[in-house]
Amino acid sequence: MLNFKYKNPTKIIFGKDQISALQQEIPVEANILLLYGGGSIKKNGIYQQVKDALSQHHVEEFGGIPANPEYEVLMEALKLIKEKNINYLLAVGGGSVIDGTKYLAAAAKYNGDAWDILRNSIYTLEGEALPFSTVLTLPATGSEMNSGYVISRRATQEKLSAGGPGLFPQVSVLDPEVIRSIPKNQISNGIADAYTHVLEQYMTYPVGASLQDRFAESILQSLQEVAPKVMSEEFNYTAAADFMWCCTMALNGLIQKGVPTDWSVHAIGHELTAYYNIDHARTLAIIAPSHYRYNLKYKKEKLAQYGERVWGIECGTTEEKALLAIEKLETFFHSLGIKTKLSEYTEDYNGTAERVEKTFKDRNMLGIGERKQLSPSDARSIVEMSY
Amino acid sequence: MLNFKYKNPTKIIFGKDQISALQQEIPVEANILLLYGGGSIKKNGIYQQVKDALSQHHVEEFGGIPANPEYEVLMEALKLIKEKNINYLLAVGGGSVIDGTKYLAAAAKYNGDAWDILRNSIYTLEGEALPFSTVLTLPATGSEMNSGYVISRRATQEKLSAGGPGLFPQVSVLDPEVIRSIPKNQISNGIADAYTHVLEQYMTYPVGASLQDRFAESILQSLQEVAPKVMSEEFNYTAAADFMWCCTMALNGLIQKGVPTDWSVHAIGHELTAYYNIDHARTLAIIAPSHYRYNLKYKKEKLAQYGERVWGIECGTTEEKALLAIEKLETFFHSLGIKTKLSEYTEDYNGTAERVEKTFKDRNMLGIGERKQLSPSDARSIVEMSY
C-alpha cells in the first residue's frame, strides 16, 4: 500500500425527506446564494422544499448553470456574489451545479483573474473559499462529497479542473426520491460516470491493497446490480438509494487512498466533450475500453482480477481474462444504452486523435496515467482505437 | 436503506515514517499531555519518534493506562490535566489508551462528577472536549477514527461506553511498521476484534443496502486473507498495512450507515471482561457464535449471504448455509488461536448466565440487538450456550 493522507469533513444527510434539515444546518445569519441549473428543480418540487427549509434565511438565487459548467455563466454569478455580499453558497443540482459552486466559492475569495485558478490549477486551502452546501439532484459525479471540480470555457474549448481541501461541501443532502424525476439518459450517464470513476482508481498496477480493491469491486458490483432497477420505469426506492450512495462512494476519495490512480480516461474524455459537446459519461465509455486494450501489458493483472471477481470469469490466461473483462465492460455500457465508439456520436471524428495529441503537447501533458508514462502520441493512439 | 447522517472529520496520516508529521499537525503553542500504556512504546522506538516530532512543543506525560482503561487511573491523569493547564491530548497506544484519552478529553471540560458522563451516557458535542490526536500502536478497535469509547471501573465491575461528535481525533497517525513489535496474541485479538465489529454491523436483518453489505464482506474477506500473514513470524509490510486499514474501516462509522446494527455481542462480552478480565476480543469470540445460533430465525438470511460470499458455501437451504457459516466463523477464530467457549477461559463459569441476566435487568437493558427485542433472559440463554 502507498502512504496516504485522508480527511473528508463533509456531513452527509441521506434519506427520504431530509431537505428540511437545511434549516438547522445553515447558519440563520448566512447571506445565501442558491445556485441551480436549467430549472428542473422547479418542476419536481425540490426547489420548493429548499425554499421551505430556508424560509427563515435570506436567499438570493442564480439559475441557469449548464452541464459542463460554463466559465462565462459562472462569471455572472460571481458578479452577483460580490454585489450582494453573499457569504454562503447552496448548490441544488447535479455535478455541474456543484462543480460550478465550488469554483465560485474559491473565486469569491481569490484576488486576481478568476480563470488563473483553473489555468494554474491553484489549490484552495481551508478558509480560502466561501462555505457552501449542496442538495444533490442527480447522482453521478461524487462532487457532493469531494473537493474537486471541472469547469469548461467554450470560447477557448478548454475543460480544466482544480480543487483543494477548502472545497469540501459543509453539508450535502442526498434524498434518493429525487431520482423519480430524472430522465433515463441522465441516469445511464450517472451509472457510467460513477462506474468509470471507480475504474480510474482501480484499473492500475497492483500494490497489494486488498481492501481498496475489494471496496472498488463492491461499488462496481452494486452499480451493475442496481442498473436495471434504476433504469426501469417503475421507481424503486431501495435501488435508488443504493445507486445514489454508490455514486458518492465512487469519488469521495476513499477508494483512491493508498493505491495508484490513472485518470487518463477522464483526461482524454474531457477533450471529446470540449470538441463535440458529448455528454461527459459517454466520453468515458468511448475511451475506457480502448485505453485498457492499448495498455493491456500494464493493466492485465488488475483487468483479470476484475474479470474474475466482478464478472465471474473463471477460465483462461491472465491476458484472456483481461480481454474478456474489457468486452464485459463494453457490454455493460451497451446495456445502459451507451454507445462506445466516437463515430456513433459524430460523423466529424476524423482528426480527433491528432487534435488530442496536439492539445496535450500544447498543455505540456507529456505523461499521464498511473505511471505518468503515456505520451501525447499514446493518447492519439487510444483515440484512434476509439473511432 | 435506512436514513442516516454521516460525518467523520478525522485526518488519517497512513504509512511508513509518518509519525514525524505530528510536528506540523499539532499547533506549536499547544500544551500537550502525551498519554500511553504499559511502556512498550519506549522499547519499540515509537516513544522516541513522537518525542522527536514534538521537540519544539511543550509536552507533559502520563503513562500506565491499562487495557480496558481504568477509571481510577484516568482520574490521576485528569488531575494532571487540570494542574498543568493541558489543552491538547496525544494518545500513543492502542484502543485502550485512545479510549481513555477520549474520556479525558470530555471529562476535562465537564463540570461535575466525571463518572456521570459514563453513568448517563452523556453525548459530547463539538467544542465540548479538549482537542486530541493519536498515534496508533495496535490495530484493533477503530478508536483512532471514531468518536466512541469504553471505560472500565474495577471497583464496581462496570464497563460502560459513551461518545459524541466532539470526540473524533483531529489527526491519527497509522504507521504499519508498529506491527513489527506487537505480540502475536495481541495481533490475533486485533483481528478478532475488527472482524466482530464488522459482524455487529452486518449480521442483522437485510434492508437491501447492497453497497454496505459488500463493504462489510470486503473487510471480512481481507481480514481472513491477511490473518495468516500478520500472524507469521516474518514481518510483511503489505499485509500489516492491509490489516491496519481493515481495523480502522471496520469501525469508523461508514459501514453502519443506512443499516441496522446489533452490538449484542459487545454488550454481553463486556460483562465477561468485567467479571473475569478476559481480553475483549476473546469475549466476542465466545459470544458471537452462540448469539447467531440463538437468533438464527432473525439472522439466517444474512448468515447465509455471509456463508455464500465470504466462505464460498454453495449448497444447502438458507438455514443450512447459515449454520455452516457459523461453524466457519468458529473455525476462523480457532485458526487465530482464539478459543470460543467460556469454560476454556475460566473454571469458575457457573452462574455467569444468571449474573448477566441480573446485571442487564439492574441496568434496565431490557431490549438489545438490532430489533431491541433481546431480553435479559435471552442474554442468559446466549451465555449458557457459550459455556
Side-chain angles (χ1 to χ4, degrees):
Chain A
M1 200 184 303
L2 312 179
N3 285 3
F4 67 84
K5 294 183 180 171
Y6 179 64
K7 178 180 178 178
N8 188 327
T10 297
K11 179 174 184 176
I12 297 292
I13 301 181
F14 191 104
K16 257 183 204 174
D17 302 326
Q18 295 301 301
I19 292 174
S20 60
L22 290 173
Q23 186 178 1
Q24 288 83 47
E25 296 292 342
I26 301 181
V28 73
E29 66 278 11
N31 192 21
I32 303 170
L33 181 62
L34 164 61
L35 297 124
Y36 56 94
S40 62
I41 61 166
K42 292 196 173 169
K43 292 180 204 131
N44 59 21
I46 296 169
Y47 174 85
Q48 199 52 52
Q49 287 182 61
V50 171
K51 292 290 278 187
D52 289 349
L54 299 178
S55 61
Q56 308 299 314
H57 290 71
H58 181 80
V59 183
E60 301 282 340
E61 293 183 24
F62 184 90
I65 297 174
N68 304 307
E70 261 299 310
Y71 170 74
E72 286 81 2
V73 175
L74 294 169
M75 287 306 98
E76 294 296 311
L78 186 60
K79 214 170 119 190
L80 189 64
I81 288 169
K82 292 188 171 172
E83 275 171 18
K84 301 278 185 182
N85 289 312
I86 297 295
N87 58 21
Y88 200 104
L89 307 181
L90 177 63
V92 181
S96 296
V97 173
I98 299 172
D99 277 17
T101 298
K102 287 178 181 172
Y103 178 49
L104 289 169
K109 285 203 166 189
Y110 182 74
N111 295 319
D113 178 4
W115 188 248
D116 286 348
I117 302 174
L118 285 152
R119 187 189 290 123
N120 305 323
S121 264
I122 290 175
Y123 207 59
T124 302
L125 298 174
E126 284 180 58
E128 292 183 350
L130 292 183
F132 68 99
S133 288
T134 85
V135 175
L136 182 64
T137 63
L138 177 61
T141 71
S143 190
E144 66 278 6
M145 201 184 180
N146 67 38
S147 62
Y149 60 96
V150 185
I151 303 295
S152 295
R153 190 169 186 175
R154 201 163 296 152
T156 54
Q157 288 193 330
E158 287 174 288
K159 188 170 179 179
L160 299 177
S161 60
L167 290 174
F168 283 100
Q170 291 200 327
V171 174
S172 283
V173 179
L174 278 60
D175 180 347
E177 287 284 340
V178 303
I179 293 168
R180 278 186 191 277
S181 58
I182 300 175
K184 295 302 171 202
N185 70 320
Q186 290 190 29
I187 290 186
S188 63
N189 280 349
I191 297 168
D193 195 22
Y195 198 93
T196 316
H197 287 160
V198 178
L199 292 179
E200 295 269 38
Q201 301 163 88
Y202 164 77
M203 206 62 82
T204 54
Y205 59 91
V207 295
S210 80
L211 186 61
Q212 287 90 326
D213 277 4
R214 287 202 172 89
F215 275 7
E217 291 152 4
S218 294
I219 302 172
L220 298 174
Q221 286 175 298
S222 291
L223 283 169
Q224 288 168 207
E225 189 176 298
V226 98
K229 296 177 193 163
V230 291
M231 293 292 287
S232 97
E233 283 313 308
E234 201 180 343
F235 179 72
N236 174 333
Y237 180 85
T238 302
D242 241 350
F243 167 49
M244 197 169 214
W245 194 223
C246 281
C247 292
T248 301
M249 291 304 305
L251 197 55
N252 68 355
L254 183 69
I255 62 168
Q256 76 183 347
K257 294 301 165 183
V259 296
T261 58
D262 185 332
W263 298 109
S264 302
V265 176
H266 276 70
I268 302 173
H270 284 171
E271 296 306 311
L272 304 188
T273 300
Y275 307 159
Y276 305 113
N277 207 25
I278 301 171
D279 291 353
H280 169 64
R282 290 167 200 251
T283 69
L284 306 176
I286 293 167
I287 298 301
S290 303
H291 176 56
Y292 298 142
R293 285 198 182 95
Y294 184 79
N295 292 291
L296 193 68
K297 72 174 165 177
Y298 302 115
K299 291 176 183 285
K300 66 183 172 197
E301 287 82 7
K302 203 60 93 59
L303 278 162
Q305 179 179 314
Y306 163 69
E308 289 163 11
R309 295 192 187 170
V310 175
W311 292 109
I313 296 170
E314 288 179 358
C315 305
T317 63
T318 300
E319 193 161 312
E320 285 164 353
K321 285 177 181 171
L323 286 167
L324 188 52
I326 299 171
E327 282 179 36
K328 291 278 187 187
L329 171 63
E330 287 174 309
T331 307
F332 178 62
F333 286 136
H334 296 158
S335 78
L336 302 171
I338 291 180
K339 293 166 180 160
T340 53
K341 290 292 175 188
L342 181 59
S343 55
E344 296 174 296
Y345 291 89
T346 173
E347 290 178 7
D348 195 25
Y349 59 87
N350 275 320
T352 309
E354 291 77 8
R355 189 171 170 188
V356 168
E357 181 180 21
K358 181 175 183 312
T359 304
F360 280 17
K361 274 188 192 158
D362 290 350
R363 272 200 223 121
N364 212 25
M365 292 164 66
L366 302 180
I368 61 170
E370 74 260 28
R371 293 184 190 272
K372 311 274 176 224
Q373 69 176 21
L374 293 180
S375 67
S377 104
D378 290 318
R380 188 190 66 204
S381 301
I382 292 165
V383 176
E384 270 168 3
M385 288 168 69
S386 308
Y387 284 174
Chain B
M1 200 185 301
L2 311 178
N3 285 3
F4 68 84
K5 293 183 182 171
Y6 179 64
K7 179 179 177 177
N8 189 327
T10 298
K11 180 175 184 175
I12 297 293
I13 300 182
F14 192 102
K16 257 182 204 177
D17 302 326
Q18 295 301 300
I19 292 173
S20 59
L22 290 172
Q23 185 178 1
Q24 288 83 47
E25 296 292 341
I26 301 181
V28 73
E29 66 278 12
N31 193 21
I32 303 171
L33 182 63
L34 164 61
L35 297 125
Y36 56 95
S40 61
I41 61 167
K42 292 196 174 168
K43 291 180 206 131
N44 60 21
I46 296 170
Y47 174 83
Q48 199 52 51
Q49 288 182 60
V50 171
K51 292 290 277 186
D52 290 348
L54 299 177
S55 61
Q56 308 299 312
H57 291 71
H58 181 80
V59 184
E60 301 281 341
E61 293 184 23
F62 185 89
I65 297 175
N68 305 307
E70 262 297 311
Y71 170 74
E72 285 81 3
V73 175
L74 294 169
M75 287 307 98
E76 294 296 312
L78 186 60
K79 216 171 119 190
L80 189 64
I81 288 169
K82 293 189 170 169
E83 275 171 17
K84 300 278 184 182
N85 289 314
I86 296 294
N87 58 20
Y88 199 104
L89 307 181
L90 177 63
V92 180
S96 296
V97 174
I98 300 173
D99 277 18
T101 299
K102 287 178 181 173
Y103 177 49
L104 289 169
K109 286 202 166 191
Y110 182 75
N111 295 319
D113 178 4
W115 188 247
D116 285 348
I117 303 174
L118 284 152
R119 187 189 290 124
N120 305 322
S121 263
I122 291 174
Y123 205 60
T124 302
L125 298 175
E126 285 180 56
E128 291 182 353
L130 291 184
F132 67 99
S133 289
T134 86
V135 175
L136 182 64
T137 63
L138 178 60
T141 71
S143 190
E144 66 279 6
M145 201 185 179
N146 67 39
S147 61
Y149 61 95
V150 185
I151 303 295
S152 294
R153 190 169 186 175
R154 202 162 297 153
T156 55
Q157 288 193 329
E158 286 173 288
K159 187 169 177 178
L160 300 177
S161 59
L167 291 174
F168 283 100
Q170 291 197 328
V171 174
S172 283
V173 179
L174 278 61
D175 180 347
E177 288 284 340
V178 303
I179 294 168
R180 277 185 192 276
S181 58
I182 300 174
K184 296 300 172 202
N185 70 321
Q186 289 190 29
I187 290 185
S188 63
N189 279 350
I191 297 168
D193 194 23
Y195 198 94
T196 317
H197 287 160
V198 177
L199 292 178
E200 295 271 37
Q201 302 164 85
Y202 165 77
M203 206 60 82
T204 53
Y205 57 91
V207 295
S210 80
L211 186 60
Q212 287 90 326
D213 278 4
R214 287 200 172 90
F215 275 6
E217 292 152 3
S218 295
I219 302 173
L220 299 174
Q221 288 175 296
S222 292
L223 283 170
Q224 288 167 208
E225 190 176 297
V226 99
K229 296 177 194 165
V230 291
M231 293 293 286
S232 98
E233 284 312 309
E234 199 179 347
F235 180 71
N236 175 331
Y237 181 85
T238 302
D242 241 351
F243 167 48
M244 196 169 213
W245 194 223
C246 280
C247 291
T248 302
M249 291 303 306
L251 198 54
N252 68 355
L254 182 70
I255 64 169
Q256 76 183 345
K257 294 301 166 182
V259 297
T261 57
D262 184 332
W263 298 109
S264 302
V265 176
H266 275 71
I268 301 173
H270 284 173
E271 296 307 310
L272 303 188
T273 299
Y275 306 160
Y276 305 112
N277 206 25
I278 302 172
D279 291 353
H280 169 64
R282 289 166 199 251
T283 68
L284 306 176
I286 294 167
I287 298 300
S290 303
H291 177 57
Y292 298 143
R293 286 200 181 93
Y294 184 80
N295 291 291
L296 194 68
K297 71 174 166 178
Y298 303 115
K299 292 178 182 285
K300 64 183 173 197
E301 287 82 7
K302 201 62 90 61
L303 278 162
Q305 179 180 313
Y306 162 69
E308 289 164 12
R309 295 192 186 171
V310 176
W311 291 109
I313 297 170
E314 288 180 358
C315 304
T317 63
T318 300
E319 195 162 310
E320 285 164 353
K321 286 177 180 171
L323 286 168
L324 189 51
I326 299 170
E327 283 178 36
K328 292 277 187 187
L329 171 64
E330 288 174 309
T331 306
F332 177 62
F333 287 137
H334 296 157
S335 77
L336 301 172
I338 291 180
K339 294 166 179 160
T340 53
K341 289 291 177 191
L342 182 58
S343 56
E344 297 174 294
Y345 292 89
T346 173
E347 289 178 6
D348 194 26
Y349 59 85
N350 275 321
T352 310
E354 292 76 8
R355 189 171 170 187
V356 168
E357 180 180 21
K358 182 176 182 312
T359 305
F360 280 17
K361 272 187 192 158
D362 290 350
R363 271 199 222 121
N364 213 25
M365 291 164 66
L366 301 179
I368 60 170
E370 75 260 29
R371 293 184 190 274
K372 311 273 175 227
Q373 71 176 21
L374 293 181
S375 68
S377 102
D378 290 317
R380 189 192 63 207
S381 301
I382 291 165
V383 176
E384 271 167 4
M385 289 169 68
S386 307
Y387 284 172

